[in-house]
Amino acid sequence: MNRLSYYIDGRMFEWVMSISMILLSVEIFIWPETLKASAFQWITLVLNTEIVGIVLIGAGIFRCSALVANGSSMVIGPRVRAIGALAGAAIWVQFGMALVKLSIDQNFPSPGIPFWFMFTLAELRVVYRAVLDVRTPR
Amino acid sequence: MFELLDNALKALAAYPPLAALAGLLVIGGGVWLMVRGERDRKTNGTTAQIPAWMLYGPAHDAMASVHQLAEQGRVQIHILERMEVVLKEIAREQLKARQALEMIRNESRLR
């Protein structure tokens, strides 16, 4: 349990979002209709379902790898985390925008809107914070 | 509110350009944050991330230590003053004892 805490403490948000990305990509690959037939159908107008899946699984795996290797490479690891968080933010804003579009169509706001936009902002914060963790030899 | 947004969407022709714009804005913002993070790291490092309140504890302890030092100094001065009084008393007693001894010696010579 202590070993688990070593990896999770202070990086809980990144872990949760990374694992969610991987799980969602698996869901998209197994059931491509996940996006097409859901409230997020508008995303498919902007991004191909396969592209969303590939970006999610790629960013998710890279982020998890960087989090597991936490401390092993203080140059590459934090930058991978930052780029992964940026990819996450770009995807989450599409989810938020899709819900905005849905809300306009149905004339009342979706309860998911605050969550997706807050996820986007939090990922942007992770981008900034991860870059601060970079340690280059002097 | 929604009618306004709906009209705005219609004016922009469709949802995809707006969503793409939002995505580009987020990516642009993220890239700017990365650049800013690099700059802040080079100037401040992570020391700027240390919350100010973490320094309040040690500063408070140091102030308490200084107060204790002053109090101990005051007590030491009081003790030294008492020692000075006692030493003066001892010196006076020794002087009297010396005078007495000299008188005894002088009397013993006269006999």
Side-chain angles (χ1 to χ4, degrees), chain A residues 79 94 98 128 132 134-135, chain B residues 15 19 38 40-41 46 49:
Chain A
R79 289 203 169 103
Q94 294 305 316
Y128 176 73
L132 285 181
V134 174
R135 292 282 179 282
Chain B
Y15 165 79
E38 289 279 351
D40 289 354
R41 179 173 58 79
T46 49
Q49 302 299 312

Side-chain angles (χ1 to χ4, degrees), chain A residues 38-94:
Chain A
S38 71
F40 302 115
Q41 56 187 291
W42 300 102
I43 293 170
T44 55
L45 290 177
V46 183
L47 295 169
N48 192 318
T49 310
E50 285 76 24
I51 290 174
V52 174
I54 289 165
V55 169
L56 284 174
I57 200 163
I61 288 172
F62 273 118
R63 291 181 84 179
C64 282
S65 308
L67 286 166
V68 169
N70 187 24
S72 299
S73 170
M74 294 305 279
V75 180
I76 299 168
R79 289 203 169 103
V80 170
R81 279 171 48 214
I83 293 166
L86 184 58
I91 295 285
W92 304 146
V93 79
Q94 294 305 316

